[in-house]
Amino acid sequence: MLAITLVHAAEPLPSEGTSGRLEPKSIAVFTLPLQAGELVQLDLAAPGWVMDVVAKTPDGTRLADYTTSIYGTNSYTRRFIAPDAGMYGVSVQNWSTSETTPFMLKITEQKGPAEHRARMVDFEKWLSNAAQPLTRETWQHLATEQLATTRIVGLGEPSHGGTEFWQDRLALTLALARTGRLHSIAIELPHDELSPMNGYIQGDDVGRRKARAALQFPLWQADGVMAFFDGLREYNTGTKNKVRLVGIDPRTSGNNEQLLQFIAKVSPADKEAFEKLFDPQWASMAVRLLQGKGNAGDAQALDGPVAQGNALLASFSTNETDWIKATSPVEYEYAWLATNARTRMLADYRKPFPESYSLRDKAMAEVVTSLERKLPPREILLVLCHNAHISKSDTGYLGNRLGNHLSEKYGKRYIAIAGSFGRGKFSAIEYGSGYRVNTYRTAAPPPETLESYLDRSPLQSGYLLPLSDLPEPARGWFSHPMAMRNIPADSNATVQERQFETVLPSRDFDYLVFHKTQTQTD
């Protein structure tokens, strides 16, 4: 464990805030007298991502850290209600082992118990009127009216594979498809894994079991996810206005058989170059670099395959018309996506964390943009990803997310719809156990999280909440940093603090979909 040096202790925290500089591995402690039930928000501004602010109760118990770095800023926030009266401790910590870091700590909100209770009464009245039950009429109105001028919709989920949110995805997909504007659904999956499932929903001779097994990420094999694909297959069976699936994730399984069949038809002379690009040794080397286990020699060795991949992508661009004529648009798209994914994987995994993390979202944004350019003017593109990817703001040290790239390019023509839930079940992968999936329970949302407020709706079923043109008190509240469920795919999600990230709801999303309970089926 990293040893922390105490710089100074028990200094009162001034109401106007305080600033200073912390040496590496050091901590500054302040005191703050509070009443029981008093609401406090502390904001720490500091460069980088090595700082933290912690609050402790009068008896020294650390308050749960549901919040982290605020998207798009060098800020950290702690928002809590004092459980008891007394002197609270507030500490600023510099976890860097080498950098002296400046900081500014402020009390950005402080409300007494009575004021906070009155504010919540006003909020509950507004919420009971603003929340729209998730009926077929609600989804249809969203599709035909509120998204009438939208070009791209990002539809998120708080975990991976929650049944209710995949039901929502099917409902919005069908509502958009019935308008005649939706034909393409982009999903946070490698296209080579998703291609069999696309064949399944088209009614091709692809068995359900085979298409499901091709989804190598096990959380996508959940029953709730499969019900979504079954619903698309049923819809496609009864209409000429079919929808299709496109995988946008640059990570790839390396299955290149279909790609090589395409190249044999359009450019046999390039077959050897494609085989070299998909040589498994390059993918293994890239993964080692991503995990921090590689070396400079590995990164240098990947320069050749990356250059070769970029040259092959240029060939796709130059020969697009001829290659489509020689095969089909579907075959061409598959081959381009596979080549682009492998090239980006080898290129991006050479970068150090956190840069390598943000490059994945940039690569997905480039694929989405490429798909959008080929759509007819009135069509809409639906993008299904985790909440963290569809957010319209960047993520500070982790760089820009997919939604941020899309928001910058398309402005108000990109709409982000996030999802969350109050309690229930979610699944996560236990790495090191052969990708074993475990299901976990989570209790009612902790105080002062976004979900603790959304849970106050009298509706017992799910609802849709618009976040644009908000009146008070909602406008002020939704523009504040709030902890929101953002459950990762790995088993670290079992730690409650890891289930939340800080968002500015009305800045990051246009709508929220909330379910009081989430269920999860394997």
Side-chain angles (χ1 to χ4, degrees), residues 157-179:
E157 62 174 335
S159 60
H160 294 79
T163 300
E164 285 71 19
F165 294 97
W166 282 90
Q167 292 171 347
D168 296 339
R169 287 175 164 185
L170 180 61
L172 181 57
T173 298
L174 297 182
L176 287 169
R178 291 186 183 109
T179 68

Side-chain angles (χ1 to χ4, degrees), residues 38-76:
E38 190 167 2
L39 170 69
V40 177
Q41 181 170 308
L42 303 168
D43 286 323
L44 172 69
W49 57 282
V50 295
M51 299 290 282
D52 196 11
V53 57
V54 172
K56 292 186 178 181
T57 61
D59 65 1
T61 302
R62 177 169 172 156
L63 290 167
D65 296 341
Y66 299 115
T67 49
T68 56
S69 175
I70 303 172
Y71 291 0
T73 69
N74 288 316
S75 299
Y76 303 77

Side-chain angles (χ1 to χ4, degrees), residues 270 273-274 277 307-317 323 339 343:
D270 286 325
F274 278 93
L277 177 64
Q308 189 171 50
N310 286 327
L312 293 171
L313 288 171
S315 295
F316 275 91
S317 180
W323 286 5
T339 305
T343 304

Side-chain angles (χ1 to χ4, degrees), residues 386-416:
H386 191 272
N387 282 345
H389 295 294
I390 68 161
S391 171
K392 299 174 77 170
S393 61
D394 67 50
T395 61
Y397 81 95
L398 286 179
N400 292 3
R401 295 284 174 95
L402 164 65
N404 180 246
H405 289 289
L406 298 179
S407 180
E408 288 183 348
K409 182 173 179 60
Y410 296 98
K412 293 183 178 180
R413 294 193 304 154
Y414 170 67
I415 296 296

Side-chain angles (χ1 to χ4, degrees), residues 1-161:
M1 186 173 180
L2 186 63
I4 295 290
T5 302
L6 183 65
V7 176
H8 51 79
E11 292 188 7
L13 179 60
S15 58
E16 69 275 12
T18 186
S19 61
R21 297 176 63 87
L22 282 180
E23 299 292 325
K25 299 185 295 183
S26 62
I27 182 173
V29 180
F30 306 92
T31 58
L32 182 64
L34 296 174
Q35 307 173 55
E38 190 167 2
L39 170 69
V40 177
Q41 181 170 308
L42 303 168
D43 286 323
L44 172 69
W49 57 282
V50 295
M51 299 290 282
D52 196 11
V53 57
V54 172
K56 292 186 178 181
T57 61
D59 65 1
T61 302
R62 177 169 172 156
L63 290 167
D65 296 341
Y66 299 115
T67 49
T68 56
S69 175
I70 303 172
Y71 291 0
T73 69
N74 288 316
S75 299
Y76 303 77
T77 183
R78 291 287 178 262
R79 184 181 175 93
F80 61 92
I81 295 176
D84 302 295
M87 192 68 70
Y88 282 68
V90 177
S91 61
V92 178
Q93 301 174 354
N94 180 9
W95 296 102
S96 172
T97 59
S98 59
E99 297 181 9
T100 298
T101 306
F103 72 90
M104 169 66 77
L105 179 64
K106 290 184 177 181
I107 304 173
T108 54
E109 187 175 8
Q110 189 168 3
K111 296 185 181 299
E115 183 183 6
H116 179 58
R117 285 195 297 270
R119 186 168 179 255
M120 290 312 303
V121 169
D122 290 339
F123 176 80
E124 289 173 7
K125 289 180 180 177
W126 170 82
L127 183 62
S128 65
N129 293 321
Q132 303 171 16
L134 294 179
T135 62
R136 176 168 177 166
E137 290 72 22
T138 296
W139 291 117
Q140 201 63 41
H141 181 73
L142 179 65
T144 57
E145 301 294 333
Q146 294 159 299
L147 301 179
T149 60
T150 301
R151 185 62 165 171
I152 300 176
V153 177
L155 183 56
E157 62 174 335
S159 60
H160 294 79

Side-chain angles (χ1 to χ4, degrees), residues 63 112 125 171 210 213 283 315 320 358 369 377 403 405 413 422 429 515:
L63 290 167
K125 289 180 180 177
K210 179 181 178 181
S315 295
E320 179 174 358
S358 65
T369 301
H405 289 289
R413 294 193 304 154
I429 295 172
H515 290 274

Side-chain angles (χ1 to χ4, degrees), residues 278-299:
F278 280 83
D279 189 321
Q281 68 169 317
W282 306 130
S284 298
M285 195 175 292
V287 171
R288 286 201 303 272
L289 287 166
L290 182 68
Q291 295 172 342
K293 300 176 182 179
N295 53 52
D298 289 339

